[in-house]
Amino acid sequence: MKLAIIFNGQGAHYEGMGLDFQAAYTEAKTEFDTAETVTDGMQIRQWIESDLDQFKATRNAQVAITATSLAIFNSIAPTLPAISFMAGLSLGEYTALMASGMLSKTEGYQLLKERGEIMSQHCEQLASSTPVQMLAVMNMPFDQIESLVNEINIEHPELYIANINSNQQVIIAGTETTTQVFKERAKELGYKKTMPLKVEGPFHSPLMSGTQASFATALEKVTFTQAEIPVISNTTVTPHNLATINELLVRHLVEPVKWRQTIDFLTEQGVTHLIQIGPGKTLAQLLKREKNAPACLVIDKVEDVADIQPFLNGGENE
């Protein structure tokens, strides 16, 4: 048995997420306390309990979702065997860096608060000048998506592949014009299943390049430490190291998230069991139709904790 921990990104939040862990585990309460304190009083738990609209803004969602995921992870960490790798989709990469100890909680939450603010400001500027959109494309082969994106870019620039989530799902980002053209041409080719995402901006695409300089400056204030548990980069699909982490996290803003390749890498490294931690079941659902993917257990609610030992002792995909 070889275990990896994976953390989800934005978009899977729901009312009450993580609060059952706070009620049951001191470690979870401490994590929420830390997040709210070091971000100068962001009302994370109040938003989770009664004001989910706050999470429409990246500036709030990033800290809150990371705090929830870490509250859950810290609650169950003492019961887990050795962890071989950590990884996270998009925002989840930062959760993994903090969970592994490569990024301290204090500096991590402060960095995420600043990153969220930088991204939100940029998205607001884009919205006022160039309406943008992210579009999930389902069940269309990657090479055809890539070819169609390149073809459309010749006539209508600014369409990009943003997330390679699985063999069945790829996310593209662009202007509303270019994503609509993609949708129409994909339909002509027989691929009708696309879905606009409810996100603030065109994340992981060159349309976010205006955030890079400010975020590079923010990273200069942060000290990373080499951790015992390797954290896989969304950008290179290799373990992060101190020499390149700043550069890769800046590139992470504008380059595709290679999640499908990350799962392939973990499988090649002999990982047999994945535990997805955080709100929702997004990552586990992406794995369901992937051939030869490791077994995956979601820990989202306190009641899920009872499944950990049976899962590690045999377990199959949830």
Side-chain angles (χ1 to χ4, degrees):
M1 195 277 295
K2 195 170 186 179
L3 175 66
I5 303 295
I6 55 176
F7 298 95
N8 62 303
Q10 287 179 233
H13 54 271
Y14 61 86
E15 186 175 306
M17 64 181 187
L19 297 185
D20 57 339
F21 279 90
Q22 177 183 249
Y25 294 91
T26 302
E27 295 91 340
K29 182 181 183 302
T30 299
E31 191 65 38
F32 280 119
D33 287 344
T34 299
E36 292 184 346
T37 299
V38 303
T39 56
D40 298 322
M42 291 180 78
Q43 300 299 305
I44 296 167
R45 284 168 286 195
Q46 180 181 318
W47 297 339
I48 291 171
E49 190 169 7
S50 59
D51 194 6
L52 281 188
D53 283 348
Q54 292 287 345
F55 299 147
K56 293 178 181 177
T58 299
R59 58 170 57 89
N60 298 329
Q62 295 200 8
V63 171
I65 291 168
T66 297
T68 300
S69 297
L70 288 174
I72 295 170
F73 174 71
N74 291 347
S75 299
I76 68 169
T79 70
L80 297 178
I83 299 167
S84 297
F85 296 96
M86 288 185 173
L89 188 148
S90 189
L91 169 67
E93 184 165 312
Y94 287 85
T95 314
L97 289 169
M98 294 167 70
S100 72
M102 199 166 187
L103 177 60
S104 75
K105 300 294 180 63
T106 297
E107 290 192 332
Y109 283 123
Q110 290 170 344
L111 179 66
L112 283 176
K113 182 181 180 181
E114 191 165 357
R115 182 179 186 265
E117 187 63 41
I118 291 167
M119 292 173 71
S120 278
Q121 287 181 359
H122 181 71
C123 291
E124 288 164 4
Q125 292 170 2
L126 283 177
S128 66
S129 58
T130 308
V132 293
Q133 187 178 62
M134 296 190 82
L135 191 71
V137 183
M138 274 74 80
N139 302 323
M140 185 175 181
F142 179 76
D143 58 348
Q144 287 191 259
I145 294 173
E146 188 175 43
S147 177
L148 187 53
V149 166
N150 292 337
E151 176 188 317
I152 292 170
N153 258 315
I154 295 172
E155 308 165 33
H156 307 281
E158 298 192 325
L159 182 65
Y160 307 98
I161 291 172
N163 290 59
I164 307 165
N165 286 341
S166 71
N167 285 312
Q168 287 76 40
Q169 185 189 94
V170 172
I171 310 297
I172 61 172
T175 65
E176 286 188 356
T177 298
T178 57
T179 54
Q180 183 60 32
V181 171
F182 181 96
K183 186 175 180 178
E184 291 168 358
R185 296 195 185 175
K187 189 174 181 180
E188 291 170 3
L189 293 170
Y191 300 102
K192 301 178 181 179
K193 198 170 182 181
T194 60
M195 179 178 66
L197 302 186
K198 295 179 181 179
V199 292
E200 195 176 15
F203 305 139
H204 305 292
S205 80
L207 289 165
M208 296 297 293
S209 61
T211 64
Q212 288 183 284
S214 296
F215 188 57
T217 299
L219 282 168
E220 291 174 2
K221 298 179 284 187
V222 173
T223 300
F224 291 97
T225 304
Q226 194 64 54
E228 291 184 9
I229 303 172
V231 176
I232 308 306
S233 162
N234 284 176
T235 307
T236 62
V237 198
T238 57
H240 272 297
N241 64 71
L242 299 183
T244 61
I245 189 166
N246 284 39
E247 173 199 344
L248 291 182
L249 292 179
V250 173
R251 287 172 52 188
H252 187 248
L253 291 164
V254 299
E255 294 188 22
V257 169
K258 298 175 181 175
W259 188 249
R260 187 197 72 203
Q261 294 92 325
T262 297
I263 297 301
D264 289 344
F265 173 85
L266 294 175
T267 303
E268 290 164 4
Q269 296 300 310
V271 169
T272 57
H273 291 67
L274 298 171
I275 295 181
Q276 182 210 310
I277 293 174
K281 299 183 177 183
T282 303
L283 304 183
Q285 288 171 344
L286 289 173
L287 285 168
K288 279 189 174 180
R289 294 175 62 186
E290 295 295 300
K291 293 180 180 178
N292 304 316
C296 185
L297 175 70
V298 175
I299 303 297
D300 177 31
K301 295 180 172 62
V302 166
E303 63 198 47
D304 299 327
V305 175
D307 296 329
I308 294 175
Q309 289 308 317
F311 170 74
L312 294 176
N313 291 336
E316 297 179 357
N317 280 11
E318 184 175 284

